[in-house]
Amino acid sequence: IYSNKDMFGKEHFLTTHSWLGCVVSIGWVSTSIVNFGLLHPDYASLSTRRNLTLRSGHKMAGRAAFFLAWATCFTGFQTLQADPMYQAVFALPLVAFSVFIFI
């Protein structure tokens, strides 16, 4: 996507979709690195693995990342499809399955 914009001489990071995608990408990578070091059963210390605050933060960060990823999908679809009916049909599964993320 980045190189395609370069080829056609378009600017980068102009839409909500592009900024959300950037935030989601950085969020996934950073939480993966931190959580691997602090919560992995083989590499983390026992005290960090059992820290309830850290585990709760891990769970909330994952939920936030999923929510932002879904918001990124929806905003990307909005830029491709202007018809509200198609947008509603696309958003319906995202809303329906979001219940499983917050359980």
Side-chain angles (χ1 to χ4, degrees):
I1 294 171
Y2 196 87
S3 61
N4 285 343
K5 288 208 178 253
D6 284 340
M7 286 189 324
F8 294 112
K10 293 185 177 181
E11 294 293 322
H12 298 279
F13 303 112
L14 295 177
T15 62
T16 305
H17 172 72
S18 62
W19 282 105
L20 282 174
C22 187
V23 168
V24 167
S25 297
I26 292 169
W28 280 112
V29 170
S30 62
T31 56
S32 296
I33 291 170
V34 169
N35 293 326
F36 180 78
L38 296 176
L39 295 174
H40 192 279
D42 294 333
Y43 304 114
S45 70
L46 188 60
S47 63
T48 60
R49 286 188 313 213
R50 292 188 177 172
N51 186 333
L52 295 179
T53 304
L54 184 61
R55 294 181 73 75
S56 177
H58 168 71
K59 186 166 50 172
M60 295 307 291
R63 289 175 178 172
F66 267 107
F67 176 77
L68 285 176
W70 286 351
T72 303
C73 291
F74 184 71
T75 57
F77 189 75
Q78 276 184 317
T79 52
L80 295 175
Q81 185 58 255
D83 185 8
M85 185 61 169
Y86 285 114
Q87 292 176 6
V89 169
F90 182 79
L92 185 64
L94 297 177
V95 172
F97 289 117
S98 67
V99 172
F100 298 108
I101 296 300
F102 295 108
I103 290 179

